[in-house]
Amino acid sequence: MALLGSLTQQTSAMKDTSLNDTPSLDTPEKQGLFSNVTSNPLFSAGFGLIAVGAALSLFKKGTTIGTSVLRRKLLVTLEIPSKDKSYLWFLQWMSHNAPKRQVNHLAVETSFKQHDNGSVSTKFGLVPGPGTHYFKYRNIWMQVQRQRDGKMMDLTTGSPWETITITTLSRDREVFKQLLHEAQEMALKKQEGKTVLYTSYGPEWRPFGMPRKRRLLDSVILDKGITDRIVNDVKAFIGNGKWYNERGIPYRRGYLLYGPPGSGKSSFIQALAGELEYNICILNLSERGLTDDRLNHLLSNVPERSIMLLEDIDAAFTKRSQSDNQGYQSMITFSGLLNSLDGVASAEERIIFLTTNHVEKLDPALIRPGRVDLKEYLGNATDYQIKKMFLRFYDDEALADKFVEKTRGRDISTASLQGHFVYYKDKPQEAVDQADSL
Ligand code: ADP
C-alpha cells in the first residue's frame, strides 16, 4: 500500500510540474517532492537503468562508429565479382599459392585432359570454397571472403552471383595490384603456346580441359595446295574488318571441310588455330537441350580470337528426322541455325568452320555463299599425301616411292596411314612390306 501511495504521490507531483511552464525547485514543497522522488529507491533504480542503458547504447554506437572509422582508416578491401576475368585467375592463383593449411573450406574444380590416344586424365584443383579465409602474401596477412548470393544470378551465365572480397591493411594496398598481376600471369602462362578448347556450358563458353599444346600446321598433310588455300584465305580475312565495314558486310567467313572420317578435318582446324594463335569453340548441334535462343546467344558471344567449329553439321538434322520419338533432345530448328549463322554480326571477326562426312545430306541453303565462303574436300590419301606422310616418319625417298606404288588406287584414310606408320615405327622396310595389311 505504501508503495502504491508513494507512486500516486509521484504521479500527482509530475502532473504538477507539467502544468507549470517552468518547473523550478524554488519552493520548499517542491524541493521536498524532488528529494522524495530521488530518494525513492524504485524510481532512482529506474533512472539508473535508463542512464546505464543509454550510456551502453551510446558506447555501442560509439564503438561501431569507431570500428568502422578505424576499418576505413586502417583497412582496404578489394572486391572481385564473379563476372570479372580476374575472378577465376585469383581463385586458381590462391589454390596454388595459399598453403593448404591456411584454407579449411575448399571447393573442387575438376579439369579433364584428353590425350592424343584418346585416354583421359583428370585433375582436381582445390580452390577456396565460399566462406572466410586468411592467408599470407609477401608477409602480409589478408582476409578473403568468398560470398555466394543465393538470390542474384549472373544473367549471362545463369550461375549464382559470387564475389570475392580481399581485405588487408591500408598501408599495404599496393600489394593488391601485384597479386592480381601475378594471378593473371600465372593463368596466361598456362595458355602460352597452347590452344584452348571451349565447349558450351548452358548459355556460355567454358574452357574444356587443360589448354592443349599447339598442333603444327605441317603435321597435318592435306592434298596439294589445300592447306595454303585455306590458310591464305583466313589470313587475308583476319584484320580486314575495315573493308567489310565500309561495304556494310557482316565481318565473318564460313568454311566447310567435308570428306570421309579420318581425313584430318578436326586435326587441320586444330593446327590452323595453332598457326593463327586462336582458340577453338566447339559446338555439337545434337547437344541435349540446345535451343535456337541458346545457339544464337552462343554464336554471338564467342570468346575473342576463337574459331567457331560446328562438327558433323549433318548429324543434327538427320537424327532429328529419324528419331523424333526416341528422346532426341536438341530443340534447334533448321531455320534457327540459319538465323544464328546469319545473325553473327560483331566488331570482332568471326571464323566459322563446319565439318561433315556427308556433304550430300546438307541442305544447299546451309552452304550457300555468305554462309560458307570456301569449301574444301578432304578425301582419302592421295599419292602426294602418302609420300609426304611416309617421309615425315622415315627419311627414305626410295622406300617412300615403293610404298606409294604398293598403295596406289586403294581407298586408305590418312588416319589409318598414320596408324600403320606408328605401328612400324623405326621399321620403314616392314612398313612397305606390310602395306597390303592396310
Ligand atoms: P576427321 O576429323 O576427318 O575425322 P581427324 O582429324 O579426327 O579426322 O583425324 C584422326 C586421326 O588421324 C588424328 O590423330 C590425326 O592426327 C590423323 N590424321 C588424319 N588425317 C591426317 C592428315 N591428313 N595428316 C596427318 N594426320 C592425319
Side-chain angles (χ1 to χ4, degrees), residues 235-252 346-350:
K235 284 190 173 166
F237 167 73
I238 292 175
N240 221 349
K242 202 166 159 253
W243 188 90
Y244 282 82
N245 217 342
E246 282 168 1
R247 285 155 188 81
I249 310 170
Y251 189 26
R252 63 178 150 76
S346 145
E348 272 274 318
E349 78 279 315
R350 224 21 114 233

Side-chain angles (χ1 to χ4, degrees), residues 215 219-222 260-267 385 389 414-415 418:
R215 183 161 184 159
S219 75
V220 185
I221 296 156
L222 305 186
S263 53
K265 297 182 289 295
S266 308
S267 310
Q385 283 169 289
M389 274 189 92
T414 36
Q418 175 184 276

Side-chain angles (χ1 to χ4, degrees), residues 138-251:
R138 300 194 176 183
N139 261 339
I140 295 167
W141 275 103
M142 303 204 166
Q143 183 202 50
V144 174
Q145 280 176 301
R146 186 174 171 194
Q147 286 163 318
R148 187 167 289 170
D149 193 311
K151 290 183 204 116
M152 261 188 14
M153 290 283 242
D154 183 344
L155 286 177
T156 50
T157 64
S159 48
W161 186 270
E162 283 197 3
T163 14
I164 290 177
T165 314
I166 317 173
T167 310
T168 192
L169 290 177
S170 241
R171 57 178 176 136
D172 298 325
R173 63 177 63 221
E174 276 307 304
V175 92
F176 282 156
K177 270 195 203 148
Q178 296 166 8
L179 193 158
L180 289 179
H181 265 297
E182 219 173 87
Q184 181 206 26
E185 261 173 36
M186 201 186 89
L188 295 185
K189 210 172 223 145
K190 263 195 184 167
Q191 296 183 8
E192 221 168 71
K194 307 235 168 109
T195 308
V196 180
L197 296 189
Y198 291 94
T199 50
S200 65
Y201 183 87
E204 69 168 314
W205 292 103
R206 288 221 183 141
F208 176 72
M210 304 292 278
R212 290 162 185 229
K213 223 175 124 197
R214 268 188 209 141
R215 183 161 184 159
L216 294 176
L217 203 52
D218 63 6
S219 75
V220 185
I221 296 156
L222 305 186
D223 203 10
K224 213 172 187 168
I226 297 182
T227 301
D228 284 347
R229 248 194 326 270
I230 303 176
V231 173
N232 292 342
D233 191 284
V234 179
K235 284 190 173 166
F237 167 73
I238 292 175
N240 221 349
K242 202 166 159 253
W243 188 90
Y244 282 82
N245 217 342
E246 282 168 1
R247 285 155 188 81
I249 310 170
Y251 189 26

Side-chain angles (χ1 to χ4, degrees), residues 319-391:
K319 242 194 211 164
R320 169 182 290 266
S321 53
Q322 281 165 8
S323 57
D324 254 344
N325 314 326
Q326 296 170 21
Y328 180 59
Q329 298 286 335
S330 179
M331 315 268 281
I332 57 161
T333 59
F334 186 66
S335 62
L337 171 65
L338 296 187
N339 281 339
S340 301
L341 286 175
D342 293 343
V344 177
S346 145
E348 272 274 318
E349 78 279 315
R350 224 21 114 233
I351 302 169
I352 304 177
F353 270 84
L354 314 180
T355 65
T356 179
N357 297 333
H358 303 284
V359 70
E360 70 286 351
K361 287 188 189 165
L362 294 186
D363 192 307
L366 182 62
I367 51 174
R368 69 153 170 75
R371 292 193 180 115
V372 168
D373 304 286
L374 188 69
K375 303 180 191 98
E376 288 292 350
Y377 172 67
L378 272 54
N380 284 328
T382 60
D383 288 359
Y384 171 84
Q385 283 169 289
I386 296 172
K387 182 166 179 180
K388 230 176 146 189
M389 274 189 92
F390 191 96
L391 289 173

